[in-house]
Amino acid sequence: MINEDKNMNDNSMEVPNIINLDDDFFLIKKFNEGDESTFRNLVHKHKDKVRNLVFITMGNVEQVDDISQDVFITVYRNLKNFRFESQFTTWLYRITINKCKDQLRKAKIRSIFTSIKDDEEEHVVYDKNNEPDDTSAIVQNAIAQLPDKLRIPLLLKDIEGMSYQEIAEATNSEIGTVKSRIFRAREGLKKILKPFEKELMS
Amino acid sequence: MSKMINDEMLSAYLDNELNEKDKLLVEENLLTSSELRTKLEELKKIKFTVKESARSLPESPYFETRLEAALKDNSKQNKLRKFAPAIGFSALAIFLMILFRLNPNFLNTIVEEQKTNIAGFYTENLKPLLFAANIDNEDIFNFAFNKQLPLDDRNNQVLLLGYDPKGVEYFEIKQAGNLEQPNNLDNFIRAMNFTNAEKEKVYQILQSYADDIQSQILVNDRNTVAINPNLWNYNQAIVADICKFAAQVNKPVLQKIMPAAYTYYSDPQVIKAINKAKEDNNEYIFFTPDTVFSEKFYFDKEKFKEDMKQMKKDMSKNMEELNINLRNMKMNLDSSRVMLKDRRHNNDIRVFIDTNSYRVELHNFNIPDFDIELPNMDSINALVEKEMKNLKSFSFVIPDMDEKGKRNFSFKYRTDDSSGEVNVVIPNIDSIVQLQMKNMPKMDSLMKHFSFRTDSSGRYYFDDDSLGINFPGEDFKTQMKMLEKEMKKFQKEMQELRKELKKKEKDSQDVEVRAPLEI
């Protein structure tokens, strides 16, 4: 809200554009006024974050660009419905996480129908990718074993450094829930990593 | 107090997500509880491990470009895409329903249009076929009474009108059997005993149909032949017209020489027949390589005549420049060559044109033998052989040419026991050839029209250089002069050759020396 007010003031006072150029609200307004080129600025500004979120959530590189593209296409189509009630990033991250969850759900459904052999192969590939660093492979493997609803908040917190508030908004849940899930994720990891304690210590 | 701190709070404390009050509470408890501190350490370790495990994501340099492309693709039709097939089919169905409801003839119209398009293709550039054949009165007369028309100038093909056994009219294009055309018109005029004025009248009647008949048969470069069935009516009209006139002049004779069907034409019948023919009947029958169809086609006779007039004008202009009467030249299309026929020379000369050369063939044209009297070389030879054995000296002088263009060579020789003189008259070949050339009127007149060269077998031909632009152009004279020069040169060479021959023969003879030339 504060942000929006500020932005409104800026516009009414006709502050030179340069100041506002990077401001999400300003870009969105421009976009909605018909200047579609501002969308490029939005993408440029947020693509890294979006890609990283997808990467963390999905756990592999392969799908990152496809899903990220999908995210921005959704944003492009719905930008005119943006109500300036929350930050653009909040909205953007929620879309991103939702897209990822969609994908994960689809993958899960797919995995029911794929053979066990395929599953094993996927694991091999996963492990192979992380061969150079043994400890990080162990950890990643452990994280991958967590359920999505615990894993995603944990990673958003510990790797992306998002606040509980931001995570709650992105995952469409309560702050308390986020707090609890992050804790449960850590407890889970502790249990999974117990056998590897020595390797991790060294 | 420590009971109030659960592990979840500790985790949130680690993340710095506790409010001030809870934060203080946790910190107070941490000071007193080692168990709590251990738990915090464990959580810290996990947090650190997770953070450390983070892999870096490779950059995607084309992300934005690809996105833009995807957006362009996606932007508008995307919403429709899912429903596109359904929407498409329903829209089509609705459209067709409305269309056929409002315009039941729609399909017919399309079919008709298509037909017109094809017809358009084949009806382009149609020109009267008979224009090429250049029909004359005799041809029209034959058309009227023999129902046949020449389709090309060489009379190789004729169009025949006929009746099949059921009495249905048909057209036929076929090779003409005999090339000899009986002079039917002349015979008719003679039989009818027409005066000159009456003859002219007959010609006029025939000529008045020429243009109309010409526009009844059209051809173009797409192998289309369009024939107007109205040709039949013209056939009837001409017969009626001629017979009416002939009957007026001499009815009994007409009845005698004409089959009964032709003889009783009264005025109303003639007028009816003519009117029927002259009605604008634009329905032609088109024979094309892949279909036969009938179609209304308007052939603009007037415009064509105008065009032809203009063409003639242009031609006559060129003719003046070229100083040749092209009216007498006719072009016939041969499969590979174009033949120009010069009627003035009555088929004696034919010009063939193909991509490489122009060739004139001369028929019934004989080049006379050159009449040159040469001395009896055999007797001289015998003498030379005999006297060679004892030849002592030999002399001769080069004599001047006499009025007849002859040179009288006198060779004198002397041997051991005898002497003698041999006289050899050598004719001037040059002058003889020139003289004989002048006596070839045909050659002379032809040369005035065409610049040509001879090939190795003595045939005359044009090549591109001489005909293409200059035919039969201004520098004909210079070319002729060059030809003459070359001929002279050739003649001289011939002369010298002969001289040399003589000389050698004389050399070997024993001569009495008159001029001092000792061997």
Side-chain angles (χ1 to χ4, degrees), chain A residues 40 44 47 51 55 59 65 68-69 77 139-140 157-158 163-164 179-180 183 186 189-190 201, chain B residues 7-8 11-12 15 17 42 45 47 49-51 53 55 58 60 63-64 66-68 71 78:
Chain A
R40 215 175 290 165
H44 187 74
K47 63 162 182 173
R51 288 182 74 243
F55 180 50
D65 277 0
S68 306
Q69 298 261 335
R77 274 195 232 126
V139 177
Q140 275 158 23
K157 179 71 219 172
D158 287 350
S163 69
Y164 283 7
K179 188 163 63 170
S180 150
F183 168 70
R186 281 169 181 159
L189 266 186
K190 201 166 80 181
M201 284 304 123
Chain B
D7 293 352
E8 202 181 292
S11 168
D15 291 334
E17 290 278 352
E42 277 172 2
K45 213 185 282 170
K47 189 179 166 88
T49 311
V50 170
K51 213 172 180 173
S53 76
R55 288 171 297 164
S60 175
F63 182 81
E64 283 162 78
R66 276 179 51 208
L67 176 64
E68 248 170 78
L71 280 174
N78 206 21

Side-chain angles (χ1 to χ4, degrees), chain B residues 95 110 176 386 394 478:
Chain B
F95 171 73
I110 288 179
K386 188 186 145 213
F394 166 82
T478 55

Side-chain angles (χ1 to χ4, degrees), chain B residues 39 57 73 81 124 205 208-209 254 327 339 342 385 423 516:
Chain B
K39 272 206 168 149
L57 174 65
D73 254 17
R81 189 185 285 165
E124 231 168 66
I205 293 170
S208 69
Y209 288 98
L254 181 73
R327 246 174 274 244
M339 193 177 93
D342 190 338
E385 234 165 71
N423 288 311

